[in-house]
Amino acid sequence: MWRVIATFIAVALIIYLSYVASKYIGGSLKRSSSSRYMRLLDQVTLGQDRHIAIVQVGAKYMLVGVTAGQVSFLSELRDEELISLSAEDEGEMKSPDFKSMLEKLSDLGKRGGKDS
């Protein structure tokens, strides 16, 4: 009986210590990546170890391509070219929600799996 209780206490202690360690490591990484003169505004992953990013340096915005081996300057962007893309703005690019997918499947089952 005592072994079971000791095991639960050990597991709880390990989970708590891993939580504290991750908060400490995450906080120090955030502080070390901060910069006074530039910041990463956004990035999109294109593949494994490949993405494009918008970086603000002073008052300028730059589009850069990043791979495992290099960073390439692609273009300089103006303020008016930066338009926020939210889920509502994307229109047909928006992925369907789970409820609408279930409704389509139930409609398909009612018709016997045939398109009308």
Side-chain angles (χ1 to χ4, degrees), residues 1-12:
M1 178 71 174
W2 289 107
R3 285 186 177 179
V4 173
I5 294 172
T7 303
F8 281 125
I9 291 173
V11 168

Side-chain angles (χ1 to χ4, degrees), residues 4 27 35 42-44 46-48 54 58 61 78 86 90 96-98 109 115:
V4 173
S35 174
D42 201 5
Q43 65 182 356
V44 175
L46 301 175
Q48 184 177 1
I54 299 174
Y61 299 98
R78 296 186 303 271
S86 63
E90 291 180 4
D97 62 339
F98 186 70
D115 291 332

